[in-house]
Amino acid sequence: MANIAAQRIKREFKDVIKSEEMAKCAIRVELVDDNYTELKGEIAGPPDTPYEGGNFILEIKVPETYPFNPPKVRFITKIWHPNISSVTGAICLDILKDQWAAALTLRTVLLSLQALMAAAEPDDPQDAVVARQYKENPEMFRLTARHWTAVYAGGPNGNPEFDSKIHRLTDMGIDEDQARVALSTYNWDLVRATEQLFS
């Protein structure tokens, strides 16, 4: 790793670890190996959101060209959010793309991601299916996002009705994650989800 990038990320890494603000927001970061090119981030779901009580793991890859280019960040923990791919964990956030500036830091990125979880931008989606549900059926979006948080991020509030629909599909030989995605996509309409899976 280029010297400037290594020095910079080391300093930022320490800032995040020591920061009281980060501790208060329940944001953590750790090294994956000892060379600072790959970090593991952890973000607590923000209060008063469907993600509350969940713990979300991030993969953070720091390029040689840091801080002149942004870190590559994606969600490892599956999440139902308009700006995060429910399949790959890719994130649509301007500061991770064309709005990146060398003055931004790891701390800024992590806080911005937590803020994005609390305030989605459905008009600039990463996941069009989720964004459509978010805009057209906000209550269904909330229930679905909370369900995904319970299942994948250890959040509270499981949903017995959703679980039983998933169970019906797994009994038909459908993979659990596949069943969950199909049901989530069709607003938990078992008939439509089944038709899509078996078409």
Side-chain angles (χ1 to χ4, degrees), residues 111-188:
L111 287 168
S112 299
L113 286 172
Q114 196 175 46
L116 181 70
M117 289 168 78
E121 298 280 349
D123 294 326
D124 184 21
Q126 175 73 36
D127 198 312
V129 169
V130 183
R132 188 169 59 244
Q133 187 186 67
Y134 182 93
K135 289 165 90 164
E136 292 171 6
N137 197 338
E139 183 53 26
M140 185 56 73
F141 163 79
R142 240 170 33 81
L143 290 169
T144 304
R146 186 176 295 152
H147 170 77
W148 279 54
T149 300
V151 172
Y152 295 114
N157 311 332
N159 187 319
E161 186 197 337
F162 289 180
D163 292 337
S164 82
K165 288 180 178 183
I166 288 168
H167 197 65
R168 301 250 314 260
L169 290 174
T170 56
D171 284 350
M172 293 180 216
I174 300 291
D175 170 74
E176 187 185 319
D177 284 342
Q178 227 180 338
R180 182 170 293 105
V181 168
L183 285 162
S184 300
T185 301
Y186 291 102
N187 294 329
W188 298 88

Side-chain angles (χ1 to χ4, degrees), residues 3 5 9 20 36 60 71-72 99 104 106 126 147 157 162 182 195:
N3 209 5
I9 200 71
E20 278 177 31
Y36 290 91
I60 304 166
K72 288 186 176 17
Q99 296 301 306
L104 296 172
L106 188 59
Q126 175 73 36
H147 170 77
N157 311 332
F162 289 180
E195 280 169 1

Side-chain angles (χ1 to χ4, degrees), residues 21-89:
E21 179 188 21
M22 288 300 193
K24 203 168 69 209
C25 296
I27 296 176
R28 286 186 289 284
V29 68
E30 60 188 59
L31 296 178
V32 171
D33 46 33
D34 290 334
N35 65 8
Y36 290 91
T37 55
E38 200 173 320
L39 310 173
K40 182 178 116 178
E42 247 177 82
I43 295 181
D48 306 321
T49 71
Y51 312 108
E52 184 172 10
N55 195 30
F56 297 85
I57 307 293
L58 304 168
E59 173 188 84
I60 304 166
K61 295 194 168 181
V62 182
E64 293 272 336
T65 50
Y66 190 79
F68 305 106
N69 293 94
K72 288 186 176 17
V73 186
R74 73 182 184 92
F75 274 75
I76 300 287
T77 306
K78 286 182 175 293
I79 182 171
W80 190 253
H81 187 289
N83 305 108
I84 302 157
S85 167
S86 59
V87 179
T88 64

